[in-house]
Amino acid sequence: MNQKFLLRIIILLNIFFVAFFFINCNAVLPAQQRISMGTVCSINLYSSGSQELYDKMFQRLEQIDNLFSVNYSDSAVSKINRAAGNAPVQVPAEVILVLENALQVAKETQGAFDPTIGALVKLWGIGTEKQKVPSLSEISAALELVDYRLVQIDYEASTVFLPLSGMSIDLGGIAKGYAADQLVQIAKDSGIESALFDLGGNIYAYGHKEEGSLWRVGIKNPLQPYGSPLAVLSLSNSTVVTSGTYERFFEVDGIRYHHILNPKTGFPVQGDILSVTILGSNSMLADAFSTAVFVLGSDVGTEFLKVQNCEGIIVLSDKTVFVTDGAREKTEIQLSDFKIQP
């Protein structure tokens, strides 16, 4: 190989690598996924995303997880639970904020959603290596520790006190929604115009698609969650939060025990609902409402949505689908065997 030919090769390679460098410097970063809050969290900032902003958002998720997770012994919630029956615990203001909202939803639903359900959640252990069907005596004892009305918040001292030893709060039914709202706020503050956040099924479609069209978000078929979606929603600046029997469960002797527990009975909810999807701008409340409506059942649940002026979709076991008036124009049923109630 002569020197002139070799030189040409070197020049061509240099041109290639320089072009590659500049192309990748200006390339759109793909969506990023990380494990946080006990699930896979996905963030897509499209053409406006920088690695610094992605990192900032995932760091915020970690901060929230470290405050609210009952799986971390040093989280604020774990400290509150350990001190139950002994002393109030000082916590950051955002813990008070989320707990306050959880207690308000509990009051509005007469305990269908109850953040003091921690003792029952731990007893069943659904989704963990310790999942089991508890005895009636165990459930009865745990139910004695479930009562949102007993939680004491001192706003001046920023403390929370659980008066009964063994009492335990679990904010898993509202914390992911709060986290989604926090990501949206970061997007707003950063001038982002299009983003899609998926926190393990808690979805927030922020802004519009970059070409200006609405986001299209699928709702799973609760009977075949890994198949074709039951419905597709067209929306913008909206959260989509779904609670369903297919999310976490185990079976014993042919009976399925799912993770949505009734705070009044201590057992997984038994009713006519397969899934509840809530739409709205506030993901924290949508998160809590999806659980509350599931526990309330279809009749009381639909009335609750009307009172709250909240949009939602309730899928029933007979394959009928209740859709609130405000959500109808956004909803397209994809499976012919499911029918929207007239």
Side-chain angles (χ1 to χ4, degrees):
M1 182 182 295
N2 60 46
Q3 286 186 330
K4 189 176 291 186
F5 181 78
L6 183 60
L7 182 60
R8 287 179 180 175
I9 294 295
I10 293 173
I11 291 172
L12 288 173
L13 287 174
N14 284 335
I15 292 173
F16 172 79
F17 283 116
V18 169
F20 180 83
F21 174 79
F22 279 105
I23 288 171
N24 280 275
C25 280
N26 296 312
V28 175
L29 291 176
Q32 298 193 15
Q33 295 182 334
R34 300 183 194 176
I35 302 295
S36 187
M37 306 194 76
T39 188
V40 177
C41 295
S42 176
I43 299 175
N44 197 338
L45 303 177
Y46 296 89
S47 62
S48 301
S50 66
Q51 191 57 54
E52 180 181 7
L53 189 52
Y54 275 110
D55 291 341
K56 181 178 182 179
M57 289 184 170
F58 281 112
Q59 287 168 7
R60 184 67 179 114
L61 288 181
E62 286 303 305
Q63 290 173 353
I64 294 170
D65 196 22
N66 289 336
L67 284 175
F68 292 99
S69 176
V70 294
N71 297 319
Y72 302 145
S73 62
D74 59 346
S75 73
V77 168
S78 291
K79 291 176 181 178
I80 292 169
N81 293 341
R82 275 200 306 275
N86 294 317
V89 174
Q90 190 172 54
V91 295
E94 62 184 318
V95 175
I96 299 288
L97 172 66
V98 174
L99 179 57
E100 181 183 32
N101 277 272
L103 293 173
Q104 182 61 33
V105 176
K107 181 179 179 181
E108 292 170 350
T109 61
Q110 297 183 342
F113 177 86
D114 193 324
T116 65
I117 201 170
L120 278 172
V121 173
K122 183 177 181 179
L123 180 63
W124 281 88
I126 297 175
T128 73
E129 295 179 353
K130 297 180 180 180
Q131 60 189 17
K132 67 171 185 177
V133 179
S135 67
L136 292 178
S137 60
E138 288 176 318
I139 291 175
S140 180
L143 284 172
E144 294 294 323
L145 302 172
V146 179
D147 190 343
Y148 69 93
R149 297 168 297 182
L150 299 179
V151 178
Q152 300 174 22
I153 299 177
D154 186 327
Y155 291 95
E156 290 188 6
S158 193
T159 61
V160 178
F161 179 52
L162 304 179
L164 303 179
S165 178
M167 195 174 185
S168 174
I169 60 174
D170 188 322
L171 297 173
I174 194 171
K176 278 199 297 183
Y178 172 71
D181 290 333
Q182 290 296 295
L183 295 184
V184 169
Q185 188 59 54
I186 293 174
K188 289 180 180 178
D189 294 343
S190 303
I192 300 297
E193 296 182 354
S194 299
L196 195 62
F197 306 107
D198 184 348
L199 310 185
N202 283 47
I203 297 171
Y204 207 115
Y206 175 67
H208 289 75
K209 288 185 177 181
E210 291 192 304
E211 72 275 13
S213 63
L214 296 174
W215 297 102
R216 289 175 63 80
V217 178
I219 297 178
K220 290 182 178 181
N221 174 359
L223 298 176
Q224 295 182 4
Y226 300 107
S228 300
L230 184 154
V232 173
L233 305 176
S234 297
L235 38 78
S236 66
N237 290 317
S238 179
T239 191
V240 180
V241 182
T242 300
S243 292
T245 58
Y246 58 85
E247 293 175 340
R248 280 182 287 137
F249 63 90
F250 69 100
E251 293 186 2
V252 175
D253 297 330
I255 300 175
R256 173 183 290 196
Y257 298 93
H258 60 78
H259 77 292
I260 305 176
L261 303 177
N262 187 328
K264 302 293 180 63
T265 68
F267 282 87
V269 176
Q270 299 295 318
D272 58 347
I273 294 180
L274 294 178
S275 71
V276 176
T277 298
I278 303 296
L279 315 178
S281 59
N282 187 316
S283 193
M284 175 171 60
L285 291 182
D287 201 359
F289 284 176
S290 68
T291 301
V293 171
F294 199 103
V295 176
L296 288 169
S298 59
D299 292 338
V300 179
T302 53
E303 288 303 313
F304 173 77
L305 292 180
K306 292 177 183 178
V307 170
Q308 295 293 327
N309 194 27
C310 181
E311 305 303 340
I313 300 166
I314 302 175
V315 182
L316 304 178
S317 55
D318 64 359
K319 295 188 177 182
T320 59
V321 183
F322 170 80
V323 183
T324 57
D325 292 339
R328 282 184 179 248
E329 62 181 16
K330 305 173 184 178
T331 305
E332 301 173 31
I333 299 296
Q334 304 292 299
L335 302 177
S336 59
D337 50 339
F338 286 86
K339 304 294 183 183
I340 293 181
Q341 288 183 353

